[in-house]
Amino acid sequence: MAVAVAMVLTTLLPLWPVSTAGATTTAPRQALESPSVSSTEEWQQMPLSVGQGERFTVSYLSGSWTVDERNFPKVGPGGYEPSVDREIYQPCKLAPSQPFGELLGRIGENGRTFPVGTGGTLTARSSGTLFLRINDADRCLGDNDGSITVAMAGEDEDARHALTRQDFNDYCRDQGFSAGAVATGRDAYSVRCKNGDGSLQQIGSPEEMHDFVGAVCQATYPEISVLDRLTTMNGTYSAWECMDRVSNAGVPDFGGWCEAKGLNLFHRADVRYPAYGWTCANADRTRIEGISVTQVCKSQFGQDALDRVFNVRAKAVADAWDCRFVR
């Protein structure tokens, strides 16, 4: 590590990766390549511009780096484990509360620094161009080595379309259910059409539920080809949206996503809906990271891909999830 330097401590903005489920998102500003971020350079401008309040995704693809090529091994954009981080000369840390080697971001040339790490879906607190760098002070970059490659994009508002309770009501009445739509429970699979005598539409499987909502989507957006997209089980009408139907991309590779982070794929048995039980974890499970299926699809198939769950009760990935091209 380079010699000690005086430095101004950067104020961290709490911009943590979050689930994309149920989010209102924005369209990509341009088609994006997969840029490289060097460990030996200061802030590096990325080919993505965002507006304040817009959500965008950064996904780690490959590569590794070190903040001291003579004394410390290369790591990914998550940075060094605490036991190693404590051994590195602390005055050289750009973001004091984050580990050395972590990928950092900021919006605009004078924006506040936020942790990016191995990637996530983030919300821009200001407008401008995205900049990325390694967590190591400018004057301490001389003994660094390596780089990482990332993918990034804004979200897919242009390919996602809202559904409301009124849309369900209109569809049900058009199908002869005089009482419209009703939620028989509190989760997304509880929505049904209802007759005037109180009898309900019969739906017996997750596949039938998705077919029903897909029909609502097509009736609501008749001029475009759409299918259903479930954003969360923790809701009824608002849990659903429609997405553009172009073509199927394939099954998301959760195992490869975890492996790229140096972790193993692990399924939690304590979740109510098995499709949402997949996580990445190390051998002793002291480090556990959730999986953003949106990021997996975009990393695997490109920025025009979007995730879709079609059976939350299925445990096998191929029986629950797919990635679909929306452009």
Side-chain angles (χ1 to χ4, degrees), residues 223-287:
E223 296 181 356
I224 55 178
S225 180
V226 290
L227 72 165
D228 63 282
R229 184 170 188 264
L230 178 62
T231 64
T232 177
M233 283 298 286
N234 297 321
T236 53
Y237 310 101
S238 62
W240 295 94
E241 65 182 16
C242 309
M243 62 186 288
D244 288 351
R245 181 202 299 264
V246 176
S247 62
N248 186 55
V251 179
D253 183 7
F254 290 177
W257 178 260
C258 294
E259 183 178 350
K261 297 171 177 285
L263 301 172
N264 301 314
L265 182 62
F266 169 68
H267 191 270
R268 295 175 51 193
D270 60 343
V271 295
R272 182 176 181 182
Y273 306 109
Y276 296 123
W278 294 104
T279 61
C280 299
N282 58 3
D284 60 6
R285 297 179 189 171
T286 57
R287 177 187 170 196

Side-chain angles (χ1 to χ4, degrees), residues 62-97:
S62 62
S64 59
W65 53 21
T66 175
V67 296
D68 185 341
E69 61 179 334
R70 295 184 300 273
N71 298 307
F72 297 99
K74 288 184 176 179
V75 294
Y80 290 92
E81 295 292 336
S83 59
V84 178
D85 187 72
R86 289 191 292 267
E87 298 178 8
I88 305 175
Y89 189 65
Q90 296 298 304
C92 275
K93 188 178 286 188
L94 180 69
S97 63

